[in-house]
Amino acid sequence: MKNPFLVFIYVFFVIIVIPVFLTVGIYKDYIFNEDVVKNKKFESLNIKVYNSRKDKVEIMDLEEYLYNVVASEMPATFNEEALKAQAIAARSYVFYRMENGGDKIPQHKGAIVCTDHTHCQEYLTIEQLKKAHGREWMRKLWPKVKKAVDDTRGMVLVYEGKTIQPLYHSTSGGRTENSEEVFSAKLPYLRSVDSPYEQGSPKLISNVKISKRDFINKFKDADIVLSGNIKEEIKVLSRTEGGSVKEIKIGKKVIRGRDVRKILNLNSSDFEIKINDNYVNIITKGYGHGVGMSQWGANGMANKGYKYDEILKHYFKGVKIEKKY
């Protein structure tokens, strides 16, 4: 290659064109660099998702991933404004994981998020959604979910310039919880607020009926001893601002309300225990941990005419909506 012009073309492509091409390609994917994630304005974004069902890390377009998350996490029959609020919360969850070492979490196996709903957000594939809801649902409601995601493309929730941890749950029972009363961290945007429009939720009020013997045995399995005089051995000592049981005395032990929820497999920690002759009735309000956005409350607000941004700013105090791309 002695021709100077050909040498110049070769050097130009090797040193300038190819590196630029590769760089542009990389920026379409998630780069495991916090500064890039925080400061780069993306046109699109690919992320690594650990598919727990397949035991495999997959590359997904973020917006396409969100179609399935929103369809899996919230009923597609909900008001479009509630679906938009859910889409922004779900997208914020991904960015929060990006900015806070999601790929370092052992369960993620190098990915930012996983498909295990007990650990991250629920994610059902198209095939699973079809099986769960049927073809008519896919024809009528799948486009509605996609539109909610598309209409909020690139939007995330931030507090003082940082993406928030956007917790959400099914039903609060009338008032959400302060984060520190359920989890360990006190976060300024996860404050207890009224959630008055949840009347449509099937889990707003629930009743569990159990025999006294089974009730005693369930606590016995948790190393808590009760005699036959249950009414005298149970006393709620304190409740959270949101109304959940904070501490309760069972027998001679004082335990947390969320421990009772786990022992008895209750819908929430907002419960009352009523003792009858042969049975124990446990009445619960709400479904889930109660922190952040109530999904049924969001739908209720939307049906009252509130827009997605108003819904989000009600449940997440002091936040702003930022468009990343």
Side-chain angles (χ1 to χ4, degrees):
M1 193 181 292
K2 295 181 179 180
N3 189 317
F5 177 75
L6 292 178
V7 172
F8 171 79
I9 294 297
Y10 175 81
V11 172
F12 177 79
F13 268 86
V14 170
I15 295 178
I16 298 176
V17 175
I18 293 177
V20 168
F21 175 80
L22 290 174
T23 301
V24 170
I26 288 172
Y27 277 130
K28 289 181 180 178
D29 295 340
Y30 168 62
I31 300 174
F32 295 92
N33 180 306
E34 292 183 12
D35 292 332
V36 172
V37 173
K38 291 176 182 177
N39 300 320
K40 179 69 180 178
K41 292 293 184 181
F42 298 95
E43 292 183 3
S44 63
L45 184 62
N46 289 343
I47 59 170
K48 289 184 177 181
V49 179
Y50 172 61
N51 190 322
S52 56
R53 295 178 180 89
K54 296 180 180 179
D55 189 22
K56 179 183 178 182
V57 173
E58 299 176 340
I59 303 295
M60 298 185 190
D61 177 88
L62 174 55
E63 298 299 309
E64 292 181 7
Y65 161 81
L66 290 174
Y67 294 156
N68 297 69
V69 169
V70 174
S72 305
E73 285 283 2
M74 178 176 276
T77 53
F78 274 15
N79 190 294
E80 289 182 8
E81 295 301 313
L83 290 168
K84 290 177 186 177
Q86 179 66 58
I88 294 173
R91 188 182 295 105
S92 301
Y93 182 88
V94 176
F95 270 85
Y96 176 82
R97 287 297 192 197
M98 284 183 190
E99 296 169 10
N100 293 275
D103 56 312
K104 304 297 190 298
I105 297 173
Q107 294 94 321
H108 292 177
K109 299 191 176 182
I112 291 301
V113 291
C114 68
T115 60
D116 183 353
H117 73 278
T118 62
H119 189 261
C120 284
Q121 302 183 113
E122 180 71 276
Y123 176 94
L124 299 177
T125 63
I126 293 292
E127 291 72 23
Q128 289 169 323
L129 289 168
K130 284 181 182 177
K131 186 176 180 180
H133 301 295
R135 292 182 178 275
E136 193 66 10
W137 182 95
M138 292 298 300
R139 186 179 72 82
K140 289 185 176 181
L141 295 178
W142 177 245
K144 179 182 176 183
V145 171
K146 292 179 67 176
K147 185 177 185 301
V149 175
D150 291 342
D151 286 350
T152 62
R153 180 180 176 82
M155 297 182 190
V156 300
L157 295 167
V158 298
Y159 181 87
E160 294 184 348
K162 295 182 180 179
T163 309
I164 71 166
Q165 187 175 4
L167 299 181
Y168 53 86
H169 57 281
S170 169
T171 310
S172 74
R175 189 170 180 84
T176 66
E177 299 285 352
N178 292 316
S179 60
E180 70 274 13
E181 292 183 305
V182 179
F183 306 107
S184 58
K186 181 178 181 179
L187 298 173
Y189 48 83
L190 293 178
R191 299 294 86 205
S192 177
V193 299
D194 287 331
S195 186
Y197 305 119
E198 300 181 338
Q199 291 82 357
S201 172
K203 300 292 180 67
L204 183 58
I205 304 291
S206 304
N207 185 27
V208 174
K209 187 177 181 181
I210 185 173
S211 70
K212 285 184 176 180
R213 176 179 294 180
D214 288 343
F215 185 87
I216 291 170
N217 287 337
K218 284 181 180 292
F219 282 99
K220 184 179 179 180
D221 292 340
D223 295 323
I224 298 173
V225 178
L226 287 168
S227 68
N229 190 14
I230 301 174
K231 186 176 290 187
E232 301 299 322
E233 295 182 287
I234 298 176
K235 184 179 180 181
V236 174
L237 301 178
S238 61
R239 288 185 178 270
T240 65
E241 186 178 345
S244 293
V245 173
K246 190 172 185 178
E247 287 189 321
I248 182 171
K249 187 176 182 182
I250 306 284
K252 295 183 179 180
K253 286 190 176 182
V254 175
I255 61 175
R256 299 171 299 180
R258 60 179 180 267
D259 294 328
V260 175
R261 180 193 177 192
K262 184 176 181 181
I263 292 168
L264 298 177
N265 193 28
L266 303 176
N267 286 342
S268 77
S269 299
D270 187 348
F271 59 82
E272 291 183 32
I273 298 176
K274 296 186 177 181
I275 316 297
N276 297 321
D277 291 337
N278 299 312
Y279 289 91
V280 179
N281 284 323
I282 305 108
I283 301 167
T284 61
K285 293 170 63 178
Y287 185 52
H289 51 65
V291 180
M293 185 179 74
S294 162
Q295 293 169 314
W296 278 91
N299 190 52
M301 288 184 70
N303 289 335
K304 291 289 183 179
Y306 291 92
K307 300 302 182 183
Y308 69 87
D309 57 328
E310 296 173 304
I311 294 169
L312 291 167
K313 289 175 182 178
H314 172 74
Y315 284 108
F316 302 105
K317 307 310 292 183
V319 301
K320 294 181 181 179
I321 296 176
E322 180 180 303
K323 193 169 178 64
K324 292 284 189 180
Y325 51 88

